[in-house]
Amino acid sequence: MDEGRPIFRQITDQIESSIIDGSLAEETRAPSTNELAAFHRINPATAAKGINQLAADGILYKRRGIGMFVSAGAQAKIRARRRERFAHEYVYPLVIEARKLGLSAEEIKDMIEHWEDQP
Amino acid sequence: MNSVVALSNVTKRYGDVTALDGVSFAVRENTITGLLGRNGAGKSTLMRLLTGQDLAGSGRTEIFGARPYENEAVLSQVSFIKENQRYPDNFKVRHVLRAARTLYPNWDQDFADSLMEDFRLPLNRRMNRLSRGMFSAVGIVLGLASRAPLTLFDEPYLGLDAVARQLFYDRLLADYAENPRTVVLSTHLIDEVSDLIEHVLLIDGGRMLLDQDAETLREQAVTVTGPTAAVDEFTAGRDELHREQMGGFARVTVRSTGDSTERTRAHSHGVELEPVSLQQLVVHTTTRNTSSKESSR
C-alpha cells in the first residue's frame, strides 16, 4: 500500500478500477474483508471500511450469507464519476506544465492526436 | 465501543525519573494498537502497569474495568510477551508450551503446533540454548496461541529475521480476523506495522504525543517541495512539522488542510506534494516535541 493516502481509499480505488476494466464484472462476488486484509496485509477493520464505503456508494451490495456483490450499473456509475474528476486530476496539471514550457493549446492538441505515432 | 484498557492521568516515578507523566488513553475492544516511541519513552513502563507487574504512583489503571494489580481474574485474560522474558534454567521449549497451556484459558494447541512448525522451533531444545531469534519466536507463538482477550507484545522480535517477522504479521492478521481480540504492539519498526495497526499511541518522555486513528494520521500531514519562496507562500500560516533547506529549494512538512483542491493549488504555486509516511510523521512529531522542550528550558 502507498504511504500517505488512507488505505481504505486505496482499497476502494482498486476495486473500482477492476470494475471499470471489467476484471470484476457486475453481479459477481467482490473480495471479502478477510481476503483483502490477507492479500494487502492490512488490518481487517480498514478493509471493512473500504467495502462499506463502496456499499454506501451503491457500487457493492450485500447478498445475505454469501458476501458483497458488484451492483448492476456500477461500471457506468464509476466511469461517470471519474470523468468528472478527469479535468481536475489530469488536464489541469498538464496545462500548468505546458505553460511552463511555453507550449500552445494547438501544440498540445496536436500531441494528443498524434502521441501514438511517436516512436 | 467498549474500552479494554483505560488509563486516566497515570504518573509513575522511579526515584527522580518520571517514567510516565499524567498519561490518559483508552484502547478499544478488538483493535490492533501500535504503541510507538523512542527507547526510554515509557512504553515498557506502561506495559508493566497494564499487566499488573507494577503499581502507578497516581492515577487510575483499568483493564476490563478492573485494576490489574494482583487481580487474577483480570490477568488470566491478558497475554504479555516481552523481549527479556525469563524462564527457569532447565526449561525446554516444550516445557514452556506445556506451562502456557495451563496458564491461558483460550490456548489453542493446534494453532501452537502449526506456529512451531512455521518458525521451525525445536521442542526439545533448552530455552537458554536457543538463538536470539528463536527465543523471540517462542514468545510470538505464546502470544498468538494464547488467544488472550488482551494481548500485549513489547518489542517481540529482537533477533528475528525479515522472513520470520513477515510470518508473524501474516499469522497475527489471519488469526485476528478469525478470532478478534485486542492487541497492543510496541515497536520501533513503524514502517513494517503501519498497515497492520488501526490506532496509534505515540509516547515520548513519559507523555502521550499522539492518540489517533492510523487512517486519520495518514492524511494529516503533507510534504511540500519546491523553490523556497513558493513553498513559503503555499504553506503560509500552517502548522509546520519539519523543514529542510538546500540553496533556494525547500522541503517542508505541514499539517494537511484536508482540502481536495490542494493538489491543484500546489501545481499553480509551482510546488510538489508528497505523502508523509507514518514513520516520518512519528519522527517529525517526536523531534519537534524534543526541540520545543529544549527551547523552553
Side-chain angles (χ1 to χ4, degrees):
Chain A
M1 295 275 104
D2 291 351
E3 286 291 354
R5 278 179 69 219
I7 302 172
F8 82 92
R9 228 171 260 163
Q10 299 182 48
I11 296 288
T12 58
D13 280 356
Q14 275 179 14
I15 293 177
E16 287 186 349
S17 292
S18 322
I19 294 173
I20 282 200
D21 70 21
S23 54
L24 190 59
E26 294 180 359
E27 300 297 350
T28 58
R29 193 179 73 84
S32 74
T33 299
N34 285 353
E35 283 167 346
L36 287 168
F39 184 80
H40 293 294
R41 300 199 158 105
I42 57 172
N43 192 292
T46 312
K49 195 171 169 190
I51 294 286
N52 291 339
Q53 180 65 52
L54 289 169
D57 291 350
I59 302 300
L60 302 181
Y61 69 98
K62 188 185 229 163
R63 280 194 203 165
R64 288 183 76 131
I66 313 178
M68 303 300 290
F69 281 71
V70 181
S71 310
Q75 197 181 35
K77 198 182 240 174
I78 299 164
R79 192 170 283 152
R81 220 170 35 197
R82 290 214 176 167
R83 279 186 180 167
E84 278 171 28
R85 292 192 336 226
F86 185 80
H88 182 74
E89 287 180 6
Y90 296 91
V91 181
Y92 193 84
L94 178 117
V95 170
I96 295 287
E97 181 68 10
R99 257 187 217 154
K100 263 193 236 166
L101 303 177
L103 287 165
S104 70
E106 276 310 311
E107 283 171 293
I108 301 171
K109 261 187 223 159
D110 192 56
M111 272 187 217
I112 293 171
E113 273 162 23
H114 297 107
W115 73 272
E116 276 176 322
D117 309 339
Q118 296 197 354
Chain B
M1 219 178 280
N2 288 333
S3 293
V4 168
V5 173
L7 258 73
S8 128
N9 205 17
V10 166
T11 296
K12 176 73 188 172
R13 290 192 182 85
Y14 296 103
D16 56 359
V17 178
T18 306
L20 292 176
D21 187 3
V23 169
S24 304
F25 69 93
V27 175
R28 275 183 297 130
E29 191 176 21
N30 298 340
T31 54
I32 301 180
T33 295
L35 177 60
L36 313 177
R38 305 187 59 187
N39 291 326
K43 302 191 297 286
S44 296
T45 304
L46 202 52
M47 292 275 199
R48 272 204 300 279
L49 296 184
L50 295 183
T51 50
Q53 308 191 346
D54 217 335
L55 261 173
S58 63
R60 283 181 78 82
T61 309
E62 287 188 348
I63 306 288
F64 299 107
R67 287 163 188 235
Y69 192 74
E70 292 187 341
N71 187 335
E72 199 40 51
V74 166
L75 295 178
S76 69
Q77 299 183 67
V78 180
S79 177
F80 179 35
I81 305 305
K82 54 183 177 182
E83 62 166 277
N84 56 349
Q85 181 67 50
R86 308 270 307 196
Y87 299 96
D89 272 343
N90 55 353
F91 257 41
K92 292 181 173 174
V93 175
R94 61 188 164 86
H95 297 133
V96 173
L97 290 182
R98 197 194 298 154
R101 189 157 35 170
T102 56
L103 208 61
Y104 299 114
N106 297 341
W107 181 259
D108 184 321
Q109 188 59 43
D110 290 341
F111 186 35
D113 290 343
S114 83
L115 288 168
M116 293 295 290
E117 251 174 63
D118 288 340
F119 286 102
R120 300 180 184 168
L121 288 171
L123 272 173
N124 283 315
R125 183 106 37 109
R126 291 228 313 246
M127 286 304 291
N128 56 17
R129 292 284 168 81
L130 292 180
S131 71
R132 186 58 244 193
M134 280 182 169
F135 191 88
S136 295
V138 171
I140 282 169
V141 173
L142 297 185
L144 291 177
S146 58
R147 292 229 175 99
L150 174 61
T151 305
L152 306 160
F153 288 105
D154 188 9
E155 300 286 348
Y157 29 47
L158 201 67
L160 276 192
D161 59 38
V163 176
R165 292 203 301 275
Q166 190 61 63
L167 199 57
F168 167 51
Y169 304 138
D170 287 352
R171 293 296 178 273
L172 170 64
L173 266 187
D175 196 59
Y176 168 80
E178 294 287 315
N179 303 281
R181 53 200 191 266
T182 309
V183 178
V184 179
L185 174 64
S186 100
T187 182
H188 293 299
L189 306 174
I190 302 170
D191 273 340
E192 289 193 3
V193 301
S194 65
D195 293 352
L196 257 67
I197 55 185
E198 207 178 324
H199 196 87
V200 172
L201 296 172
L202 171 63
I203 191 168
D204 193 51
R207 284 170 173 273
M208 201 56 85
L209 288 191
L210 284 176
D211 175 356
Q212 207 147 33
D213 225 47
E215 285 282 77
T216 313
L217 278 176
R218 284 176 157 258
E219 46 182 354
Q220 217 174 44
V222 65
T223 296
V224 185
T225 32
T228 307
V231 170
D232 285 347
E233 192 185 291
F234 187 77
T235 60
R238 287 162 71 172
D239 190 9
E240 192 173 307
L241 292 172
H242 189 68
R243 173 179 285 265
E244 287 167 275
Q245 202 120 11
M246 182 195 66
F249 214 72
R251 177 189 296 132
V252 174
T253 302
V254 289
R255 294 235 181 267
S256 197
T257 53
D259 179 357
S260 60
T261 64
E262 192 171 46
R263 199 157 289 277
T264 320
R265 287 196 301 113
H267 275 294
S268 51
H269 274 82
V271 296
E272 298 284 331
L273 296 186
E274 290 164 30
V276 180
S277 72
L278 184 60
Q279 168 132 327
Q280 288 170 319
L281 190 64
V282 163
V283 169
H284 293 335
T285 310
T286 313
T287 312
R288 191 167 75 152
N289 183 51
T290 312
S291 55
S292 69
K293 243 190 282 174
E294 271 161 13
S295 60
S296 68
R297 240 168 230 167

